[in-house]
């Protein structure tokens, strides 16, 4: 449930669901997100669900904080809404040409490459949110012994398709972008496709993702 | 083959097509985009008898040099911009907030913005552009929008689908006012900062860094010390949010910002000041001034009334 609603500036509501990051709190966030999105309240122009927060921004020409807050407070997000979550398999190639941070991970986690891959692959991860760059999924939770901090100095360019880890989360860089996560592999799959306007994101909040290893040859032939 | 088109002789530094932007996409990681200075965008369209949500050419600092081919068309430039119009053998200095008529072979040379950042060039007609999610706005980060999501390039040709039949010449006397005091509303992580840090935020001057673009405005100056945590659990952002990373230098999120961020939010720029904020050029000094939500709402209402009033007089 929403613990507190405050204003983020003069054109957004900041709905706080608590400080913890877990599936149950995040599912609440997603429920509110989907309920409000379906109802199309006049003036609300964006909803950003994250681990444990929901930001609702609105057009100040059409509505204001008081109206939107009142609306959100009286929403019944408990009604059963179809979360419609999918289970997806993501091919990932962990060849040395892709796993740029494997040495660093071996050192930090004190695990061998084989053990790191074994711990990471073939497990179910929950998509908490998407964003930062278009379509980037934030997936969790990694095993306790797989948690590493961000790089001290972020890379200026992380290659498109990079599968990377930080703390309890994995993500996929949908575009070449700056970034500080530990890169473990690369997927040939297009996780974001702007030509599909109705469904540009392959992975959406609430979905479950499993990474399956592919060889370099399979990677090269993937899109042929 | 369109018979009315523009050839880009020089694209300028950061020239894109922009319109009202796109909404309902934050949750998949796509920001609003759209014209940075919304008021100047609207005025540009009104001056050439376009619908107010028509695409225009936005430029920053140095603008494009364009050659026009086709039947007569009106154009107008808004912002604080130095530009010239070349017709056959004569070249005249252009004035912002006035529409001009050009014909086959004429050139528009947008030399630069003057002590500001963004300017707008509207053509009285319909540019032939690709729309994605109801907007042609170019987001170069995700390559979304018209022109394959890329800045305009040299040698490029842009077609016009239609030219407005209403070719009335229009003019207005708008003057861009400059602001140094940016009004802000306290952020959701205001208490992450030391008492001294909070004081610095509201009392000291900051300098706009060269590393500012459509995504964000970076500031330099006295460091704002964080006492609780230099990171928060990643959460949504909106334009105008002021994040302070571990190095203590604030960053203001602008129209192409990343939709999720993990740095504490010390404040949010009031909507009333956004159009003027984005026009503050690198090297300029700014100060933040706290206002409450209800004042911010009232000030925005007045600003919006003023915009509508300006448009109705054109």
């Amino acid at each position: 449930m929403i613990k507190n609603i405050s204003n983020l500036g003069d054109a957004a509501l900041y709905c706080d669901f608590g400080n913890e990051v877990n599936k149950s709190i995040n599912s609440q966030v997603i429920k509110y997100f989907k309920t409000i999105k379906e109802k199309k309240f006049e003036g609300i122009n964006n909803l950003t669900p994250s681990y444990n927060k929901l930001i609702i921004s609105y057009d100040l020409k059409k509505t204001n904080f008081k109206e939107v807050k009142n609306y959100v407070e009286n929403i019944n997000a408990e009604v059963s809404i179809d979360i419609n979550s999918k289970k997806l398999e993501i091919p990932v190639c962990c060849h040395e040409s892709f796993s740029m941070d494997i040495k660093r991970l071996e050192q930090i986690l004190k695990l061998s490459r084989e053990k790191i891959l074994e711990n990471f692959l073939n497990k179910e991860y929950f998509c908490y949110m998407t964003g930062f760059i278009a379509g980037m999924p934030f997936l969790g939770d990694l095993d306790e012994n797989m948690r590493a901090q961000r790089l001290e100095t972020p890379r200026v360019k992380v290659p498109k398709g990079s599968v990377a880890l930080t703390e309890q989360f994995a993500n996929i860089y949908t575009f070449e972008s700056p970034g500080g996560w530990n890169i473990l592999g690369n997927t040939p799959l297009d996780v974001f496709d702007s030509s599909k306007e109705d469904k540009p994101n392959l992975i959406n909040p609430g979905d479950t993702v499993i990474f399956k290893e592919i060889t370099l040859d399979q990677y090269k032939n993937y899109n042929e | 083959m369109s018979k009315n088109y523009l050839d880009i002789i020089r694209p300028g530094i950061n020239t894109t097509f922009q319109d009202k932007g796109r909404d309902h996409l934050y949750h998949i990681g796509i920001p609003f985009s759209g014209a940075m200075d919304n008021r100047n965008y609207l005025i540009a369209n009104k001056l050439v008898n376009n619908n107010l949500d028509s695409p225009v050419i936005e430029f920053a600092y140095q603008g494009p040099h364009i050659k026009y081919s086709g039947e007569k068309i009106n154009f107008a430039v808004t912002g604080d911009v130095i530009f010239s119009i070349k017709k056959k053998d004569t070249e005249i200095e252009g004035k912002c907030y006035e529409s001009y008529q050009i014909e086959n072979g004429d050139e528009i040379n947008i030399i630069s913005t003057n002590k500001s950042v963004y300017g707008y060039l509207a053509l009285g007609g319909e540019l032939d552009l690709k729309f994605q999610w109801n907007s042609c706005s170019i987001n170069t980060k995700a390559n979304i929008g018209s022109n394959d999501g890329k800045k305009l390039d040299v040698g490029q040709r842009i077609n016009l689908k239609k030219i407005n039949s209403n070719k009335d010449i229009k003019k207005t006397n708008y003057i861009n006012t400059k602001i140094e005091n940016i009004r802000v509303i306290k952020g959701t992580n205001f208490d992450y900062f030391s008492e001294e840090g909070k004081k610095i935020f509201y009392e000291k001057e900051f300098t706009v860094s060269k590393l500012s673009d459509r995504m964000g405005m970076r500031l330099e100056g006295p460091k704002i010390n964080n006492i609780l945590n230099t990171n928060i659990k990643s959460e949504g952002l909106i334009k105008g949010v002021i994040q302070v990373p571990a190095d203590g230098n604030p960053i203001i999120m602008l129209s192409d910002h990343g939709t999720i961020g993990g740095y504490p939010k010390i404040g949010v720029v009031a909507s009333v000041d956004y159009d003027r904020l984005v026009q503050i050029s690198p090297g300029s000094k700014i100060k933040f001034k706290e206002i409450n939500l209800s004042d911010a709402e009232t000030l925005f209402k007045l600003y919006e009334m003023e915009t509508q009033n300006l448009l109705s007089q054109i």
Side-chain angles (χ1 to χ4, degrees):
Chain A
M1 289 306 295
I2 302 180
K3 293 214 163 99
N4 185 42
I5 297 178
S6 54
N7 64 303
L8 179 62
D10 54 22
L13 232 65
Y14 183 86
C15 307
D16 188 353
F17 290 73
N19 290 322
E20 287 161 68
V21 175
N22 61 48
K23 250 170 108 164
S24 125
I25 288 181
N26 185 249
S27 300
Q28 283 292 324
V29 177
I30 296 172
K31 254 189 191 175
Y32 266 90
F33 160 67
K34 297 216 171 187
T35 308
I36 297 168
K37 192 163 175 269
E38 253 163 50
K39 293 197 171 173
K40 297 193 166 76
F41 182 81
E42 170 74 11
I44 289 181
N45 56 24
N46 261 308
L47 296 157
T48 321
S50 59
Y51 302 127
N52 49 25
K53 307 281 183 279
L54 175 64
I55 290 172
I56 303 170
S57 65
Y58 48 83
D59 184 346
L60 202 44
K61 289 182 210 123
K62 292 180 182 153
T63 184
N64 60 40
F65 177 71
K66 207 174 154 189
E67 274 179 21
V68 182
K69 182 172 186 247
N70 186 42
Y71 168 70
V72 172
E73 278 171 344
N74 291 300
I75 272 177
N76 183 4
E78 292 308 307
V79 287
S80 64
I81 47 158
D82 189 12
I83 287 204
N84 241 341
S85 51
K86 291 176 298 188
K87 208 175 240 188
L88 295 147
E89 283 191 8
I90 305 293
V92 56
C93 177
C94 298
H95 183 264
E96 57 182 11
S97 58
F98 293 128
S99 52
M100 296 173 185
D101 294 313
I102 189 70
K103 292 251 147 56
R104 182 186 139 86
L105 286 168
E106 282 177 330
Q107 274 177 11
I108 295 174
L109 306 175
K110 300 189 174 62
L111 295 171
S112 67
R113 176 182 183 276
E114 290 66 36
K115 193 69 192 158
I116 291 172
L117 295 188
E118 188 192 315
N119 285 349
F120 178 67
L121 299 162
N122 306 312
K123 291 193 177 157
E124 290 191 356
Y125 299 111
F126 177 77
C127 177
Y128 283 99
M129 59 177 167
T130 55
F132 173 56
I133 51 174
M136 178 190 266
F138 289 73
L139 310 163
D141 296 340
L142 297 176
D143 288 354
E144 296 274 356
N145 60 0
M146 288 285 284
R147 299 179 182 183
Q149 293 296 310
R150 283 178 180 78
L151 309 189
E152 281 78 35
T153 309
R155 284 191 172 82
V156 178
K157 282 180 179 177
V158 175
K160 181 189 172 190
S162 291
V163 173
L165 319 176
T166 274
E167 294 166 353
Q168 77 215 65
F169 309 106
N171 75 6
I172 304 169
Y173 284 88
T174 45
F175 293 93
E176 182 183 273
S177 134
W181 291 40
N182 301 279
I183 304 170
L184 187 61
N186 195 291
T187 179
L189 208 61
D190 266 324
V191 181
F192 178 82
D193 181 354
S194 66
S195 67
K196 294 179 187 154
E197 286 202 17
D198 54 336
K199 274 187 179 170
N201 276 14
L202 182 70
I203 306 166
N204 289 289
D207 289 348
T208 302
V209 168
I210 301 173
F211 289 98
K212 295 276 181 188
E213 192 175 20
I214 55 169
T215 64
L216 190 57
D217 276 346
Q218 286 171 318
Y219 181 95
K220 284 177 179 160
N221 297 326
Y222 194 85
N223 288 317
E224 279 174 12
Chain B
M1 275 281 284
S2 172
K3 53 186 172 54
N4 304 305
Y5 54 85
L6 311 166
D7 284 314
I8 306 290
I9 300 170
R10 183 196 67 232
I13 296 169
N14 196 358
T15 306
T16 56
F17 296 115
Q18 296 293 339
D19 56 20
K20 71 221 175 288
R22 41 182 79 83
D23 50 20
H24 297 294
L25 296 163
Y26 267 20
H27 62 287
I28 57 171
I30 301 176
F32 271 100
S33 297
M36 294 285 278
D37 177 344
N38 193 55
R39 183 184 270 180
N40 270 307
Y41 158 70
L42 298 171
I43 298 173
N45 271 326
K46 192 75 198 273
L47 285 166
V48 293
N49 309 301
N50 277 349
N51 289 332
L52 289 179
D53 60 357
S54 300
V56 300
I57 296 174
E58 180 185 274
F59 47 88
Y61 313 111
Q62 186 200 47
H65 180 183
I66 288 169
K67 184 172 181 177
Y68 177 71
S69 301
E71 57 191 277
K72 284 179 182 157
I73 190 170
N74 287 4
F75 84 92
V77 174
T78 61
D80 189 355
V81 181
I82 301 161
F83 70 101
S84 69
I85 306 150
K86 199 175 160 194
K87 286 172 167 284
K88 291 192 181 78
D89 297 324
T90 60
E91 188 160 1
I92 62 155
E93 197 184 316
K95 282 195 191 123
C96 291
Y97 304 102
E98 278 192 46
S99 58
Y100 293 90
Q101 194 164 87
I102 48 169
E103 57 192 322
N104 193 41
D106 292 352
E107 292 174 21
I108 307 165
N109 188 2
I110 296 175
I111 297 147
S112 73
T113 52
N114 180 30
K115 290 178 195 141
S116 60
V117 182
Y118 296 100
Y120 296 89
L121 165 62
L123 288 130
E126 201 180 324
L127 296 164
D128 187 7
L129 301 176
K130 180 175 123 185
F131 277 64
Q132 268 186 307
W133 291 286
N134 301 317
S135 167
C136 76
S137 287
I138 293 176
N139 171 342
T140 55
K141 194 180 184 195
N143 295 141
I144 289 169
S146 53
N147 206 38
D148 296 326
K150 294 187 172 70
K151 292 178 193 177
L152 267 62
D153 207 352
V154 66
Q156 219 181 315
R157 179 164 289 183
I158 302 148
N159 292 317
L160 282 135
K161 280 202 281 198
K162 201 190 105 204
I163 287 176
N164 293 344
S165 52
N166 179 353
K167 291 195 177 61
D168 293 347
I169 294 293
K170 292 185 167 176
K171 189 178 166 177
T172 185
N173 288 320
Y174 185 63
I175 293 166
N176 288 284
T177 50
K178 296 224 183 329
I179 45 169
E180 284 155 9
N181 288 314
I182 306 295
R183 289 166 285 194
V184 296
I185 298 154
K186 202 186 269 184
T188 43
N189 307 113
F190 190 71
D191 294 330
Y192 273 51
F193 301 92
S194 66
E195 286 310 312
E196 210 207 327
K198 292 174 191 171
K199 245 180 112 172
I200 287 172
F201 181 65
Y202 286 129
E203 288 174 11
K204 300 287 179 193
E205 276 186 344
F206 294 90
T207 307
V208 177
S209 147
K210 281 197 197 86
L211 296 171
S212 300
D213 56 17
R214 284 187 47 97
M215 287 178 60
M217 180 182 275
R218 288 170 186 268
L219 303 175
E220 286 161 357
K223 306 286 175 272
I224 298 170
N225 189 17
N226 186 316
I227 45 167
L228 214 61
N229 199 331
T230 53
N231 282 279
I232 55 168
K233 290 288 172 211
S234 294
E235 61 183 37
L237 294 171
I238 56 165
K239 68 179 191 180
V241 162
I242 307 166
Q243 295 193 102
V244 183
D247 67 9
N249 290 319
I251 306 172
I252 312 176
M253 299 295 110
L254 302 182
S255 305
D256 283 353
H257 66 86
T259 59
I260 281 176
Y263 298 121
K265 302 169 170 72
I266 195 167
V268 187
V269 175
S271 299
V272 61
D273 284 345
Y274 189 82
D275 287 344
R276 285 169 293 187
L277 169 79
V278 302
Q279 294 287 13
I280 302 174
S281 55
S284 307
K285 307 256 187 244
I286 61 170
K287 262 176 99 169
F288 294 110
K289 182 175 180 288
E290 188 185 358
I291 59 168
N292 64 32
L293 175 62
S294 122
D295 287 349
E297 286 172 342
T298 310
L299 286 165
F300 181 78
K301 239 176 234 164
L302 294 171
Y303 183 74
E304 178 55 19
M305 272 166 58
E306 198 181 275
T307 305
Q308 291 309 324
N309 191 27
L310 275 163
L311 292 169
S312 69
Q313 286 169 9
I314 299 172

